[in-house]
Amino acid sequence: MKRLYQSVREEYPAPSPGNVTGTIPDWLDGSLYRNGPGLFEVGQTKYNHWFDGMAVLQRFHVTNQEVTYQRRFLQSETYKKNMAAKRIAVTEFATTAFPDPTKGSIARAVSFVTETAEPTDNTNVNINILGDQMYTCSESNILLRINPQTLETEARVVLTDHIPINMVAAHSHRDPGGALHSIGYQFGKGAPKYCIIRTPTVNNGQGGYSQSKLVASVTAEHSMHPSYFHSFGMTDNYYVFVEQPMLINVWKILAAMVKKHHMLQCIQWNPEHTGNLTRFHVIDKRSGKEVNAELPYVADAFLVLHHINAYVDQGQLVVDVCGFHVGDILDKFEMELLSSDKAEEVIHNLPRPYPWRYVLPLEADIHTEPDSNLVTLPDTDATAVLKKKKIFCTYQPLSEQSMDLPIINYPMVNGRKYRFVYGTGFQASPANQFAIFKLDINGKTTEKWCEDGCFPSEAIFVPRPSSSREDDGVLLSVVGTVGEDQEDFLLILDAGTLEEVARVVFPGIRFPRDQHGVFLDGQ
């Protein structure tokens, strides 16, 4: 399995044709873009953590039932400095910059202080779309604009040049008009704040990140220990996010500036600090105010990295997440282990998330009857009970199958009642096979695709044009393989049946283990 986490060094700036087995639907026309870490050594220095690797962009261009492949390293300032220095010269999430070995002790100390204080722009997590513009992002306040055809890096955006924001989560939402909605942090005077940001789409040169606005903010409940989050939910009228006991220690961040520590050393799973609770925050999009702030929605402590969907049904907010019972996961991706024969053991022993449903009664108030279930929806076992001025929520398991990286038919059902969700994970039996899953929430069934030695990436749903059926389309997944005689491939599945439609092999090309991506029609 260590093969999945080895560096890729070759770039493919010119499109390389693939060999297609099966038949690609004639309506599928566009490009799948993937972003993730792909280079884990610079000179003699090595990254400590999988999240730290230098960003690699991939493009699978599908047209006329054929596919070509391109790959480029993101030309960030961090990448350029690392390559020029022939070492890791900028601190990442879990790796501190290495001092310059060619300088004397004093000069080395001065350069080390400078390099560790400089924020990285190695945006290797996700991709944002604004009109016809594409940006790579991570969990910082920096984004890089990418040319969709060549994958060249064109511009750099620093959000703090436009709005008072310090960090932004890697997952955003798009509304029907193309505007981007994001969640981030504001550190400054007083307690830290969680902020919702709206960025208008780019149209005729107008809009974009320079026109971003803060539309809502919530003060962190624990002022020196704000919560880490990676995603959130959005409906037509509400934002919803969780304040969970994966905590950012502000004291350690301040000390890190002196001690030259990395960010991972400042984040800790600490449910005792939050009273073993996770809190839901619901923001009214029209007013920017928190709903029921005086009666907080809480649940037994859990961790969520990826929200599935959220929608309102009969005055109640349904919030579906991939939830972890425990949160000690961020420190599990050590490259020393993932690049060794212990990789399989590490991956199999990771904490596993499950699809859960919470229901938040929006119309509850101080006059609500205590100790009774406020959830009145007929098709859920989730509960919400008012106790001691808090609304305690319990989840309904949507499946016994562990899965993460959830994907829905976003244009059709995001923020609306829905039926299907796709994800990846290890199947329950046999436990050593990694699979793509399709969960039918209404039918309470789970289908899967898997193959020996194959490890599919996040499966991107592409809807069939003009279809009214929620699962009418295809799934695209970049599949890494671990067998010596296996080749990596692009997998195309029928989203309705999970039957393989086609696979595309690019002889001699191995893909990096990426994180997130997007499909763009006609690109």
Side-chain angles (χ1 to χ4, degrees):
M1 191 177 290
K2 65 182 180 181
R3 169 173 161 171
L4 299 174
Y5 297 94
Q6 293 174 344
S7 292
V8 295
R9 301 186 181 279
E10 301 82 6
E11 292 186 293
Y12 299 92
S16 298
N19 298 331
V20 178
T21 301
T23 303
I24 297 174
D26 57 8
W27 55 262
L28 187 62
D29 187 90
S31 292
L32 172 67
Y33 297 91
R34 301 295 299 171
N35 187 11
L39 182 63
F40 302 100
E41 306 87 20
V42 183
Q44 299 301 309
T45 61
K46 298 180 179 181
Y47 285 111
N48 297 331
H49 198 283
W50 177 53
F51 293 178
D52 294 340
M54 291 283 91
V56 177
L57 300 173
Q58 301 177 90
R59 181 194 185 204
F60 298 84
H61 180 56
V62 185
T63 189
N64 297 323
Q65 299 179 294
E66 297 180 340
V67 186
T68 58
Y69 177 73
Q70 292 166 267
R71 184 165 78 205
R72 301 289 297 269
F73 287 108
L74 182 68
Q75 296 295 308
S76 62
E77 292 303 309
T78 297
Y79 178 84
K80 295 175 184 177
K81 289 176 181 178
N82 286 348
M83 295 302 108
K86 298 181 180 179
R87 60 184 169 87
I88 297 169
V90 180
T91 294
E92 294 290 342
F93 175 72
T95 304
T96 304
F98 287 77
D100 188 345
T102 66
K103 295 182 178 180
S105 58
I106 295 178
R108 186 163 62 244
V110 171
S111 66
F112 179 61
V113 168
T114 302
E115 290 166 349
T116 53
E118 182 178 2
T120 178
D121 62 350
N122 177 36
T123 49
N124 64 0
V125 180
N126 211 343
I127 296 171
N128 287 343
I129 303 299
L130 273 176
D132 60 356
Q133 296 183 356
M134 174 184 296
Y135 293 84
T136 59
C137 62
S138 56
E139 314 235 80
S140 70
N141 62 347
I142 301 174
L143 303 100
L144 298 183
R145 195 177 77 219
I146 306 302
N147 184 298
Q149 278 71 47
T150 66
L151 303 184
E152 293 177 329
T153 306
E154 295 183 330
R156 189 173 189 257
V157 173
V158 181
L159 286 177
T160 46
D161 291 344
H162 309 293
I163 52 175
I165 206 78
N166 300 96
M167 298 164 57
V168 177
H171 288 271
S172 299
H173 282 281
R174 292 187 310 278
D175 63 30
L180 204 65
H181 300 252
S182 310
I183 186 168
Y185 303 84
Q186 186 181 84
F187 299 104
K189 294 182 180 179
K193 293 181 178 179
Y194 311 121
C195 298
I196 303 293
I197 306 139
R198 183 184 184 276
T199 303
T201 189
V202 175
N203 188 10
N204 295 324
Q206 301 297 313
Y209 284 105
S210 64
Q211 302 299 313
S212 295
K213 302 289 184 184
L214 297 183
V215 296
S217 66
V218 173
T219 300
E221 186 171 1
H222 306 279
S223 60
M224 298 308 292
H225 296 84
S227 174
Y228 166 84
F229 40 69
H230 185 66
S231 66
F232 67 108
M234 186 179 83
T235 74
D236 289 344
N237 296 316
Y238 299 99
Y239 303 106
V240 57
F241 67 95
V242 295
E243 191 170 15
Q244 56 196 0
M246 181 68 81
L247 303 176
I248 301 171
N249 190 319
V250 176
W251 295 116
K252 285 189 176 182
I253 289 180
L254 296 174
M257 297 178 183
V258 177
K259 297 181 179 180
K260 311 309 169 193
H261 289 168
H262 50 68
M263 187 65 181
L264 182 57
Q265 294 168 310
C266 305
I267 300 178
Q268 182 181 13
W269 172 251
N270 188 358
E272 291 79 13
H273 191 86
T274 65
N276 290 302
L277 297 176
T278 287
R279 178 175 178 176
F280 295 86
H281 291 279
V282 181
I283 308 297
D284 188 313
K285 291 172 74 173
R286 292 161 294 188
S287 67
K289 303 297 183 182
E290 183 168 9
V291 176
N292 282 339
E294 72 285 357
L295 294 176
Y297 303 101
V298 297
D300 288 340
F302 71 92
L303 171 71
V304 57
L305 296 178
H306 297 109
H307 283 247
I308 300 173
N309 200 2
Y311 62 90
V312 175
D313 189 4
Q314 301 177 40
Q316 298 171 81
L317 180 61
V318 177
V319 182
D320 292 349
V321 301
C322 289
F324 294 83
H325 287 292
V326 295
D328 54 342
I329 185 170
L330 294 184
D331 60 348
K332 304 298 186 185
F333 296 92
E334 297 178 38
M335 284 305 301
E336 183 178 1
L337 297 177
L338 292 177
S339 61
S340 74
D341 292 334
K342 295 183 179 180
E344 185 170 358
E345 177 185 353
V346 170
I347 296 301
H348 280 293
N349 289 330
L350 288 174
R352 297 189 180 180
Y354 292 83
W356 296 341
R357 169 163 293 176
Y358 289 92
V359 180
L360 313 182
L362 297 174
E363 297 174 2
D365 58 32
I366 58 174
H367 303 295
T368 296
E369 181 181 354
D371 301 319
S372 61
N373 185 13
L374 304 178
V375 178
T376 59
L377 300 181
D379 54 353
T380 182
D381 297 326
T383 67
V385 177
L386 177 60
K387 295 181 181 179
K388 297 179 181 180
K389 296 185 179 180
K390 290 183 174 67
I391 299 175
F392 286 83
C393 303
T394 64
Y395 65 83
Q396 171 198 355
L398 296 179
S399 173
E400 295 182 357
Q401 172 60 58
S402 168
M403 65 173 67
D404 202 5
L405 303 177
I407 293 292
I408 59 175
N409 184 342
Y410 192 94
M412 179 181 290
V413 302
N414 185 66
R416 297 169 176 82
K417 196 168 185 177
Y418 71 113
R419 180 172 179 176
F420 302 109
V421 58
Y422 305 89
T424 60
F426 283 99
Q427 58 178 323
S429 178
N432 63 338
Q433 281 196 312
F434 202 73
I436 296 173
F437 299 102
K438 177 189 181 183
L439 171 59
D440 181 341
I441 296 173
N442 295 352
K444 297 179 170 39
T445 61
T446 303
E447 301 174 58
K448 67 176 184 286
W449 177 95
C450 61
E451 191 171 293
D452 287 344
C454 293
F455 289 81
S457 71
E458 168 190 62
I460 299 297
F461 181 89
V462 184
R464 183 189 301 270
S466 303
S467 176
S468 60
R469 202 180 82 222
E470 183 181 336
D471 62 347
D472 190 8
V474 296
L475 297 176
L476 304 181
S477 178
V478 179
V479 179
T481 58
V482 297
E484 291 298 326
D485 59 345
Q486 289 180 298
E487 289 198 274
D488 296 353
F489 57 95
L490 175 67
L491 175 67
I492 306 177
L493 299 178
D494 184 311
T497 64
L498 283 202
E499 293 180 356
E500 182 173 327
V501 172
R503 68 175 60 188
V504 188
V505 172
F506 301 85
I509 297 179
R510 188 173 62 82
F511 305 139
R513 188 72 177 157
D514 55 33
Q515 297 210 59
H516 296 293
V518 64
F519 184 86
L520 291 184
D521 287 318
Q523 283 287 351

